[in-house]
Amino acid sequence: MEQLTFGTLIAVFEEIFGGVLFWLMVVAAVLVTVAYLYVLVRDRSVSMRKFLLAQLSMPIGAVAAVVFVQVMTHSQLRDIGGPVDLIVVLGIAVVGAIGMAILVYTAQSLLRGKSE
Amino acid sequence: MKELFETTASRRAFMGLFAGGVAAAAVQPAVAQAVQTSARIVIIGAGAAGTSLANRLVERLDGADITILDPSATHLYQPGLSLVAAGLKPSSYTESQTADWLPSGVSLITEAAAAIDPVAKTVGTSGGQTLAYDFLVVAPGLVLDHDAIEGFSLDMVGSNGIGALYAGPQYAAKTWEAASKFAEEGGVGLFTRPATEMKCAGAPLKHTFLIDDIAKRTAGEGKHEIHYAANNNSLFGVPIVSEKVRMLFEDRGITAQYSHVLKSVDAGAKIATFATPEGDAEMEYDYLHVIPPQRAPDVIRESGLSWADKWTDQGWVEVDMKTLRHLRYPDIFALGDVAGVPKGKTAASVKWQVPVVEDHLVAAINGNEGTAIYDGYTSCPLITRVGRAMLIEFDYRNNLTPSFPGVIAPLEELWISWLMKEVALKATYNAMLRGKA
Ligand SMILES: Cc1cc2nc3c(=O)[nH]c(=O)nc-3n(C[C@H](O)[C@H](O)[C@H](O)COP(=O)(O)OP(=O)(O)OC[C@H]3O[C@@H](n4cnc5c(N)ncnc54)[C@H](O)[C@@H]3O)c2cc1C
């Protein structure tokens, strides 16, 4: 690998998930983020109650992300072979956890409205 | 109010991050001003090497007359064949259209080069055209000599326990039919490699490791007996890698048969005959994987471009190993599998060779000497089972040259190295074809 460009990185992700699924995921991520920012601005504060549920959902997001990537790449947990593999798995788990937390928080805010 | 401030601040940070990403995507490496020229450049072969070079030359040269010859409408992503032959990808995974990768400003002639006259500086095509050139780049890859194996023909692949994944996407898919039957039913598996130079010397090992792993997962341990027939007394051309593979074979219970070169096949009786230093040896099999001897295409060998005193049965092009420039005809370069250099028959090598030839070619057009040097870089994500691989990279001197030292250990079986092969390699390969990366 001579140099890793932004374009190559995108191509790698398209390769993992397939072009269509990857861009659907990007669009979904952008939509959720925009919705999250919208409720933050609208409510002008973080609701601790919604935040609690969001936090509780984090482990589910972490596990789901790892399982998802492994299924897409014909891999299993037993394939973890060294420290760098563990870092990659943890990285995926963290991304999954944060993504899930934002999703859950946003969904509650949108569904239950501003009052709670 | 404080909270509002915080959210706005983080929103701004977020927007900044996003804009940063877009900016990063827009930034292009600084390109030297294009060289004005009317030079006629002919490239033989629009495979990994020819396509990549064509895309780079149109960026570097203004006004050049660039012609690329390739009779095949289909471009093959050959590293994917190993995955097809293990049932992990469909055969379509390796196929695309040759023309789709070529830039405008290059003329594609869908004919083969049939004759090269390095003195008159012309290339004759299979359709009878004669193309005059100022510079010639030969990149037609190599040919698989299946006829050299007595009793074997490609129509056997897929039935009677015979596989031959090098032969192309359809044969790789048929190889999986034969291999998966072996995995289910058990028996003796023989995995071979030729005694000639070959593209991706790791691929015979990958197939062995993959089928061994799949077989054990399918029918369970102890139902299969796996033999790897090495062409000499090592398992890989780089000694430290060969030792590692020997240890992995021991761990997996794979038997190495040293100096066993496949000579003939009796498909009816399921017996393979090997040439060994002690004379011919016969082995029965339930699954046999054939990789035939590999040579430069006839047009190269017949045009006097090959080495006269090296690889005389194979005919690789006589080039300087650092510049890939022909030693007798300085206006000819060789790229990719056809080049007569001691290492480098992989797509990863092509990626490092192309900028070197580009440099010397553009310098020659400018009337001076290039400076770039190819050090023999060759790489091979050596799959050791479904889900794990070793990212092996080395140079002419058999030194390991890891791209990510301290992070991705070359001789360790890692998941991340598997990800490199399974997902990152094709993306990088495609970027290379477009002349990027
Ligand atoms: C099973 C397998 C696994 C591999 N795994 C890896 C891997 O993991 N990593 C890696 O880096 N590399 C791998 N490789 C090697 C890699 O695919 C090749 O080294 C690379 O494709 C070489 O590029 P090339 O341009 O020299 O030849 P090719 O890509 O083979 O292209 C040659 C082109 O020339 C054309 N041609 C042939 N004859 C003529 C003629 N007379 N006139 C005009 N055109 C002609 C052909 O149609 C073809 O399009 C693998 C190869 C195989 C077979």
Side-chain angles (χ1 to χ4, degrees):
Chain A
M1 312 256 159
E2 212 166 352
Q3 67 242 130
L4 197 64
T5 62
F6 190 70
T8 319
L9 214 60
I10 298 272
V12 169
F13 284 119
E14 284 188 337
E15 192 54 45
I16 299 181
F17 303 110
V20 177
L21 181 57
F22 170 67
W23 287 108
L24 280 179
M25 282 161 53
V26 170
V27 169
V30 169
L31 285 181
V32 171
T33 310
V34 168
Y36 174 64
L37 293 173
Y38 163 73
V39 297
L40 281 188
V41 172
R42 183 195 65 183
D43 299 351
R44 305 207 163 186
S45 70
V46 175
S47 150
M48 276 308 145
R49 181 189 280 200
K50 288 175 196 148
F51 193 57
L52 180 69
L53 195 62
Q55 274 183 315
L56 288 174
S57 73
M58 287 177 94
I60 299 169
V63 171
V66 170
V67 169
F68 180 59
V69 170
Q70 290 197 323
V71 167
M72 296 311 271
T73 61
H74 300 107
S75 315
Q76 299 174 4
L77 273 185
R78 68 160 203 161
D79 296 324
I80 306 302
V84 59
D85 291 347
L86 213 56
I87 294 169
V88 174
V89 170
L90 290 177
I92 295 168
V94 166
V95 170
I98 294 174
M100 184 65 124
I102 294 180
L103 180 68
V104 168
Y105 184 91
T106 310
Q108 292 177 85
S109 305
L110 289 178
L111 294 179
R112 293 192 198 164
K114 194 175 165 178
S115 53
E116 270 184 81
Chain B
M1 193 58 219
K2 185 165 167 280
E3 267 147 354
L4 176 64
F5 172 71
E6 270 169 12
T7 39
T8 348
S10 67
R11 183 175 47 179
R12 199 171 296 139
F14 169 79
M15 294 310 280
L17 203 70
F18 182 68
V22 173
V27 170
Q28 295 287 327
V31 180
Q33 218 194 337
V35 173
Q36 295 284 337
T37 177
S38 56
R40 293 162 303 175
I41 301 169
V42 173
I43 303 173
I44 299 178
T51 301
S52 175
L53 182 71
N55 276 299
R56 295 177 73 102
L57 285 182
V58 291
E59 296 293 318
R60 294 292 304 277
L61 302 173
D62 189 6
D65 173 5
I66 306 175
T67 306
I68 191 161
L69 283 170
D70 200 312
S72 171
T74 311
H75 180 98
L76 291 186
Y77 168 64
Q78 298 168 44
L81 295 174
S82 298
L83 300 175
V84 175
L88 297 166
K89 298 278 181 191
S91 61
S92 60
Y93 174 69
T94 60
E95 296 171 306
S96 59
Q97 296 302 306
T98 303
D100 290 352
W101 297 106
L102 293 171
S104 56
V106 165
S107 8
L108 168 66
I109 300 182
T110 52
E111 293 172 19
I116 301 167
D117 185 335
V119 179
K121 306 219 285 188
T122 58
V123 175
T125 71
S126 52
Q129 304 185 50
T130 303
L131 307 168
Y133 66 80
D134 297 308
F135 294 96
L136 175 67
V137 180
V138 284
L142 51 70
V143 288
L144 302 168
D145 189 359
H146 288 107
D147 293 340
I149 293 164
E150 224 176 286
F152 173 80
S153 64
L154 281 175
D155 55 20
M156 296 173 176
V157 178
S159 49
N160 295 310
I162 293 184
L165 74 88
Y166 269 60
Q170 287 70 30
Y171 293 109
K174 285 186 175 178
T175 297
W176 170 237
E177 286 175 24
S180 55
K181 189 157 178 280
F182 165 69
E184 281 160 23
E185 295 174 358
V188 177
L190 303 182
F191 295 78
T192 71
R193 63 149 286 166
T196 59
E197 297 289 319
M198 63 180 298
K199 47 184 166 188
C200 198
L205 295 167
K206 293 177 211 173
H207 191 58
T208 313
F209 280 122
L210 278 171
I211 301 307
D212 172 66
D213 180 37
I214 293 169
K216 283 175 182 154
R217 293 195 204 193
T218 310
E221 306 256 351
K223 301 240 168 52
H224 307 83
E225 190 184 314
I226 306 243
H227 296 263
Y228 180 78
N231 61 315
N232 52 27
N233 56 12
S234 89
L235 297 170
F236 196 81
V238 180
I240 193 169
V241 178
S242 176
E243 267 306 286
K244 177 69 190 186
V245 172
R246 186 187 61 73
M247 290 184 240
L248 288 173
F249 274 5
E250 222 172 88
D251 175 63
R252 306 290 149 84
I254 297 171
T255 312
Q257 303 287 353
Y258 292 99
S259 301
H260 272 55
V261 179
L262 183 65
K263 203 175 132 181
S264 66
V265 181
D266 181 342
K270 292 199 166 182
I271 292 175
T273 306
F274 293 86
T276 78
E278 288 82 42
D280 287 358
E282 290 191 346
M283 293 179 82
E284 293 187 2
Y285 64 82
D286 296 288
Y287 176 66
L288 171 70
H289 186 247
V290 177
I291 304 177
Q294 308 186 5
R295 311 184 204 284
D298 285 343
V299 58
I300 302 299
R301 307 164 70 192
E302 289 160 2
S303 58
L305 295 181
S306 307
W307 285 98
D309 55 349
K310 283 193 234 176
W311 300 296
T312 48
D313 58 331
Q314 297 159 51
W316 313 114
V317 180
E318 180 182 357
V319 290
D320 179 87
M321 63 191 241
K322 291 183 175 146
T323 63
L324 303 167
R325 197 167 197 166
H326 202 280
L327 287 175
R328 286 174 285 124
Y329 306 108
D331 32 32
I332 299 182
F333 293 87
L335 263 180
D337 295 343
V338 82
V341 293
K343 293 257 172 346
K345 294 196 187 338
T346 65
S349 318
V350 166
K351 189 160 152 211
W352 292 76
Q353 292 174 352
V354 167
V356 172
V357 168
E358 174 196 339
D359 180 59
H360 289 270
L361 188 59
V362 173
I365 287 175
N366 266 334
N368 43 42
E369 286 290 320
T371 51
I373 279 178
Y374 172 61
D375 67 359
Y377 178 88
T378 302
S379 146
C380 164
L382 183 51
I383 297 171
T384 55
R385 70 175 200 207
V386 180
R388 271 196 191 178
M390 301 190 295
L391 191 59
I392 310 266
E393 299 167 277
F394 51 91
D395 63 14
Y396 281 140
R397 297 185 299 150
N398 287 333
N399 288 342
L400 295 179
T401 54
S403 287
F404 310 97
V407 181
I408 303 185
L411 297 176
E412 217 174 295
E413 294 182 75
L414 295 172
W415 181 49
I416 193 168
S417 302
W418 164 261
L419 294 182
M420 293 266 168
K421 167 78 189 181
E422 229 227 354
V423 298
L425 195 62
K426 189 174 177 190
T428 330
Y429 178 91
N430 289 348
M432 174 186 85
L433 285 186
R434 292 201 185 89
K436 312 261 172 357

